[in-house]
């Protein structure tokens, strides 16, 4: 059952999402060769608690940490460890926070120094597909419209679209209806309703879409061990249109990147 939110609840969700956005912005400046995921995980936990919020993943389904840290061939749900990053790695950081009883949940894949051109292209196209999908999150459309758009955008580059893991509704719990697959057929799936809030999150592989899980019960990685990228935003359906609750703006501020990718979906009132 889809749970639409009131305008007041959407503002609270924006608050939670922006705490995650700021956390990712703080981490952006720290991602470099020699740094470990465990170190970043500690920084993130402190940062979230300093903002009067609670880490959203820590203890959720017994997950042991604040961040899901998934380098290179890991798709999602990687557990932070003490392996230092190396130049040329990519690291997908997925972060959750709870404030006022509502979850924020978003993710970005960071390059560590210079990365191979084909991997840079994977990151670029995966992030593009996120916005291509968000544009379809509008009145009259269904989950299949978003999935179709993401899938088409990525498969035309020859990439693999992960099937087993999907986006989701988001609110007072981490995973609400509906499921938001990154593949699908136009006009199929659950119909969108005003006030609903979702996490849209393409998980895209350079090679095969097939995945497997490590024996730790968490880590998902590509079956061919080629790299995988993951970008995630939280979005509300407001006046029939997609409105971003999260922003990559803090990441771009930290990294000195100019971008207008969010402009069509950004709330007018958002000031970074
Ligand atoms: Mg996430
Ligand atoms: Mg999510």
């Amino acid at each position: 059952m889809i749970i639409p939110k009131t305008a007041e609840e959407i503002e609270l969700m924006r608050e939670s999402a922006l705490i995650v956005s700021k956390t990712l912005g703080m981490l952006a400046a720290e991602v470099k060769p020699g740094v470990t995921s465990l170190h970043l995980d500690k920084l993130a936990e402190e940062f979230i608690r300093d903002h009067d919020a609670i880490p959203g993943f820590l203890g959720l389904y017994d997950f042991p940490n604040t961040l899901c840290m998934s380098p290179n061939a890991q798709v999602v749900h990687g557990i932070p460890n003490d392996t230092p990053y190396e130049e040329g790695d990519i690291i997908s950081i997925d972060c959750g926070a709870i404030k006022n009883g509502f979850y924020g949940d978003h993710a970005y894949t960071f390059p560590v120094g210079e990365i191979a051109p084909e991997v840079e292209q994977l990151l670029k196209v995966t992030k593009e597909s996120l916005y291509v999908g968000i544009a379809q999150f509008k009145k009259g459309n269904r989950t299949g419209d978003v999935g179709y758009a993401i899938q088409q955008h990525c498969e035309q580059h020859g990439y693999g679209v992960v099937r087993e893991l999907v986006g989701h509704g988001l609110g007072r719990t981490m995973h609400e209806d509906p499921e938001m697959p990154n593949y699908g057929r136009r006009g199929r799936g659950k119909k969108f309703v005003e006030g609903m809030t979702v996490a849209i999150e393409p998980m895209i592989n350079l090679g095969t879409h097939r995945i497997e899980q490590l024996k730790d019960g968490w880590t998902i990685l590509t079956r061919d061990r080629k790299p995988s990228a993951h970008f995630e935003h939280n979005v509300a359906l407001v006046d029939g249109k997609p409105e971003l609750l999260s922003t990559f703006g803090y990441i771009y501020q930290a990294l000195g990147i100019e971008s207008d990718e969010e402009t069509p979906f950004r709330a007018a009132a958002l000031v970074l």
Side-chain angles (χ1 to χ4, degrees), residues 244-261:
L244 284 176
L245 301 176
S246 53
T247 176
F248 294 145
Y250 296 104
I251 295 172
Y252 297 153
Q253 276 184 352
L255 300 179
I257 294 170
E258 297 264 342
S259 171
D260 57 4
E261 66 194 23

Side-chain angles (χ1 to χ4, degrees), residues 196-259:
M196 70 186 289
T197 47
V198 296
I200 300 178
E201 50 178 316
M203 289 156 258
I204 307 299
N205 301 344
L206 186 63
T208 179
H209 69 83
R210 295 189 184 283
I211 56 164
E212 54 192 50
Q213 189 170 39
L214 289 185
K215 288 202 177 69
D216 63 17
W218 281 105
T219 310
I220 304 290
L221 71 173
T222 58
R223 195 170 285 180
D224 60 10
R225 301 300 188 266
K226 289 185 177 173
S228 180
H230 179 212
F231 291 87
E232 177 177 24
H233 266 314
N234 300 157
V235 198
L237 192 63
V238 178
D239 297 331
K241 295 194 288 275
E243 183 178 296
L244 284 176
L245 301 176
S246 53
T247 176
F248 294 145
Y250 296 104
I251 295 172
Y252 297 153
Q253 276 184 352
L255 300 179
I257 294 170
E258 297 264 342
S259 171

